[in-house]
Amino acid sequence: MVVVVMIGVLVTLAIPSIATQMHDRRMNQAAHEIALLYRQARSIAMGRGAAVMVRFDAKAESRGAVEVREAKNDQPSQSCVGLPATSCGNTDWNAGSAQNHLIAAFEPAKWGVYSNVQLKFKTSADPSGANAIDICFSPLGRPYWRRAHTGAFIPMTEVPQVDVSPFDGLGLTRTVLVLPTGASRLAL
């Protein structure tokens, strides 16, 4: 009986530690998902010869969302309707446009397992977090960006970051770096 009681006490003491580890693993997994979206966008752009844009939107109701969209040709006068388009700047990237289509998305609030995850995109111009950032990969894999969902794309020369943190503030924050080469990785 004493052994059973001791095992019960040890399990009771271990449960908070296990819950914290699971919480941190979810943050880490969410950060890996974000880095993967950027890597996949660049790979698709180079592989298909298309402009591929990754859109970050700091929606309050979703605590951040990331979408990957591919540009497509929508000119009926040409015989290549629906094929990839190569221009970041000449494409209408809005969700309802026929000039692009959604490839992938990550919105933590829509996934129960990521319900405590929030995303913040930080740049040197906005270290507290930007509301809207678009990064577009050219068919050569070069990243261009704009700090709003409108305006001209410019070559990306700095290293912006996406912070993946717990919404309740309890736990570790993971940082995804988007490098000027177009690669993305988790920061150490």
Side-chain angles (χ1 to χ4, degrees), residues 36-46 52 54 68 137:
L36 181 65
L37 286 175
Y38 281 98
R39 285 194 301 270
Q40 284 178 333
R42 183 171 185 256
S43 294
I44 291 169
M46 292 178 5
V52 178
V54 181
V68 179
F137 295 98

Side-chain angles (χ1 to χ4, degrees), residues 41-100:
R42 183 171 185 256
S43 294
I44 291 169
M46 292 178 5
R48 290 184 42 91
V52 178
M53 188 205 48
V54 181
R55 172 167 280 177
F56 173 82
D57 196 354
K59 301 175 185 176
E61 67 276 1
S62 66
R63 298 185 302 275
V66 177
E67 290 183 347
V68 179
R69 296 187 169 276
E70 180 183 32
K72 64 180 187 174
N73 191 344
D74 73 334
Q75 298 176 10
S77 62
Q78 298 179 354
S79 61
C80 47
V81 173
L83 290 178
T86 60
S87 175
C88 288
N90 293 334
T91 302
D92 179 4
W93 293 106
N94 292 319
S97 173
Q99 290 186 345
N100 73 76

Side-chain angles (χ1 to χ4, degrees), residues 8-62:
V9 168
L10 289 175
V11 167
T12 303
L13 294 175
I15 287 176
S17 174
I18 292 170
T20 301
Q21 285 180 350
M22 288 181 66
H23 189 69
D24 286 342
R25 291 189 117 206
R26 286 189 187 116
M27 291 302 135
N28 195 37
Q29 185 176 0
H32 278 286
E33 290 282 337
I34 298 298
L36 181 65
L37 286 175
Y38 281 98
R39 285 194 301 270
Q40 284 178 333
R42 183 171 185 256
S43 294
I44 291 169
M46 292 178 5
R48 290 184 42 91
V52 178
M53 188 205 48
V54 181
R55 172 167 280 177
F56 173 82
D57 196 354
K59 301 175 185 176
E61 67 276 1
S62 66

Side-chain angles (χ1 to χ4, degrees), residues 142-162:
R142 185 162 182 207
Y144 296 87
W145 72 334
R146 59 186 179 188
R147 289 186 170 91
H149 295 322
T150 59
F153 283 97
I154 59 171
M156 193 167 80
T157 56
E158 68 176 87
V159 181
Q161 66 186 41
V162 180

Side-chain angles (χ1 to χ4, degrees), residues 112-159:
V113 71
Y114 298 123
S115 61
N116 193 35
V117 174
Q118 69 179 352
L119 308 174
K120 287 187 180 177
F121 200 104
K122 297 181 178 181
T123 65
S124 60
D126 197 357
S128 63
N131 289 328
I133 297 286
D134 290 343
I135 296 179
C136 184
F137 295 98
S138 72
L140 296 176
R142 185 162 182 207
Y144 296 87
W145 72 334
R146 59 186 179 188
R147 289 186 170 91
H149 295 322
T150 59
F153 283 97
I154 59 171
M156 193 167 80
T157 56
E158 68 176 87
V159 181

